[in-house]
Amino acid sequence: MASRREILGSSAALATAGMAALANPGAAAAQTVGVKAGDLPDLTVKEVRCYVTDIAGYKSLNGENGEIVSIITNSGIEGLYTLGNRNRTPGQGWVDWAKATLVGKSVVDLLPALASTSGLKSTYGFNGQMGDPKENGRYTGAQTFGKRGGVGDESAFVTPALQGSGLVLRGGGAWPNWYRAAADICLWDIMGKAVNRPIYQILHGGVGAQKTKLIAYASSTHHPSIEDYAPEALKAKSQGFRAYKIHPGTGAHRKGADVPAYLGHIEEAKQIRAAVGDEYILAHDPVMMYNRYEAMKVARALDDLDFAWFEDPLRTDDQEGLIELCRYANLPIHVGEFIYSIADFAEYIAKGALDVVRLIADNTGGISGSMRVGLLADAFGLECTPHNWGNPMDLAVHFHLELALPNASWFEVPYPAELVDHPYMPIKYRPDKDGYIHAPTAPGLGVPIDRAAFDRATKQILR
């Protein structure tokens, strides 16, 4: 068995390779195609846009509003990313910010520092509790050092007293910063297109282009009754998915008296295990639904049923409860979707408040910030499981991270898989006969756009 020193030494080498790509993306991109960085196209940002599209009739998993942000270089390369409910970024606000922040600068210079998540811990709190009652629950930006900014606004961090104080993040502002995260993803899309390579081949967190597929698991929606899950898990198994993750509902039976939800969830888990057999991989994600007692009871049941992992069992800000649960449960505890800055991830890892690092790229600074978090986890010998949920661009972003990171092996597919299919993004995420999703081969994000359908849907272009 390898020693801890050997594991950490190997991880450090992989982290070094990954960090090199983040520190000098131009050189990393050029190296993938055997040219010099100076031979790359002109990657100076010429224009930013937001396409406002009509997606009426499309039921988005993330409350997508049809806004696609765009960055265009002098050489005509366009990077795209879609805005969803995790990225609460109004299109015109993003365009105004991007014109002031990005235009006239090179993608090569922007990427290393734009979305660094080093420095201060997040100031917006945990678990998405970022609404303000005075604003009808709408997120309106930081309330840091007694000042308020607009969404994505960093005005609270640019006072003379703070400049040069060391308190300001290298990426600017507090996290999450959805303006910068969306821009970071567009810039990586451009970088991949500039060298005609998928993003993950440039990132290569010590993996290079060796990883070309990931194991697919089906990730359920929240169903109304206990009896809805076992038949769906069996169907997913028959379609080639190698695992099934429960997002539990109310824990109620279709008929009969109500019971406490966590007890219903234990019954769900028993029914699913009986249906799919002992060797099929199962996981459980109640999205912070339980208190400590309930989480302990469910963890014991999941251990007895040989579940592979238990995700977000408690509120993320109950760090002491998570530490206790990680010590108590045999199966690994996945946490991190509602942690934002790399400093917060470091604290949770160091204190043993998680066993596996989970992340959402929109919340952690896009692709750049997420790679830093994933490599941090790897340096501690921990697995990283980016969150795949949303439209094809959302899944693609996390797919590239999973392919690039040395400590990621799963591809989460919202189930039924048709939920991801999009009106003008003709890509379908389905497992092959062996249960794998294969890496994109197209450059950049690798998500094709049906331009005719996209142009028909575009109602306005914000500039």
Side-chain angles (χ1 to χ4, degrees), residues 32-47:
T32 63
V33 291
V35 301
K36 296 179 180 179
D39 296 327
L40 295 176
D42 184 351
L43 297 181
T44 304
V45 176
K46 175 183 178 181
E47 183 183 1

Side-chain angles (χ1 to χ4, degrees), residues 126-129 222 285-291 294 310-318 322 334-335 337-338:
F126 291 100
N127 307 327
Q129 302 299 317
H222 297 271
D285 177 10
V287 194
M288 305 180 295
M289 193 181 297
Y290 303 140
N291 62 32
E294 294 166 344
F310 192 8
E311 187 174 320
D312 279 330
L314 299 170
R315 285 178 59 90
T316 305
D317 60 355
D318 184 7
L322 287 167
H334 289 219
V335 174
E337 289 182 13
F338 307 101

Side-chain angles (χ1 to χ4, degrees), residues 132-328:
D132 185 328
K134 296 179 181 179
E135 301 288 345
N136 298 317
R138 181 172 62 85
Y139 168 78
T140 54
Q143 298 184 55
T144 307
F145 302 109
K147 297 187 68 173
R148 173 188 286 281
V151 179
D153 192 322
E154 298 158 13
S155 60
F157 294 86
V158 294
T159 62
L162 286 174
Q163 286 179 334
S165 67
L167 291 175
V168 182
L169 291 176
R170 288 197 296 273
W175 293 98
N177 187 313
W178 292 303
Y179 279 14
R180 289 179 177 269
D184 178 85
I185 292 166
C186 289
L187 295 173
W188 276 110
D189 190 29
I190 289 170
M191 189 62 74
K193 291 172 179 176
V195 293
N196 198 34
R197 291 290 187 274
I199 293 169
Y200 79 93
Q201 292 185 3
I202 304 172
L203 292 170
H204 63 74
V207 178
Q210 299 172 20
K211 197 193 301 185
T212 59
K213 59 186 179 181
L214 293 170
I215 306 169
Y217 76 84
S219 185
S220 84
T221 57
H222 297 271
H223 298 315
S225 65
I226 291 172
E227 292 81 6
D228 295 328
Y229 287 90
E232 182 177 84
L234 274 173
K235 185 176 180 181
K237 182 180 179 182
S238 72
Q239 293 174 338
F241 288 94
R242 300 268 290 276
Y244 178 83
K245 185 169 78 179
I246 306 165
H247 284 108
T250 62
H253 286 282
R254 288 176 184 162
K255 296 181 180 180
D258 290 339
V259 297
Y262 79 97
L263 294 176
H265 297 165
I266 292 172
E267 178 61 28
E268 279 171 9
K270 291 178 178 178
Q271 288 186 11
I272 295 168
R273 173 55 77 203
V276 299
D278 292 339
E279 295 184 359
Y280 194 68
I281 298 171
L282 295 173
H284 188 69
D285 177 10
V287 194
M288 305 180 295
M289 193 181 297
Y290 303 140
N291 62 32
R292 294 186 190 184
Y293 169 80
E294 294 166 344
M296 297 287 187
K297 295 289 287 187
V298 174
R300 175 59 61 86
L302 298 180
D303 275 334
D304 291 343
L305 293 166
D306 198 23
F307 269 55
W309 72 84
F310 192 8
E311 187 174 320
D312 279 330
L314 299 170
R315 285 178 59 90
T316 305
D317 60 355
D318 184 7
Q319 192 178 84
E320 290 184 0
L322 287 167
I323 293 169
E324 183 180 359
L325 184 62
C326 287
R327 291 171 178 167
Y328 173 83

Side-chain angles (χ1 to χ4, degrees), residues 22 24-26 40-46 71-75 77 79 102 104-114 183-192 194:
L22 297 175
N24 195 337
L40 295 176
D42 184 351
L43 297 181
T44 304
V45 176
K46 175 183 178 181
I71 298 175
I72 303 171
T73 68
N74 283 343
S75 51
I77 303 173
L102 309 177
K105 299 176 183 178
S106 172
V107 173
V108 174
D109 296 329
L110 286 166
L111 271 176
L114 182 70
D184 178 85
I185 292 166
C186 289
L187 295 173
W188 276 110
D189 190 29
I190 289 170
M191 189 62 74

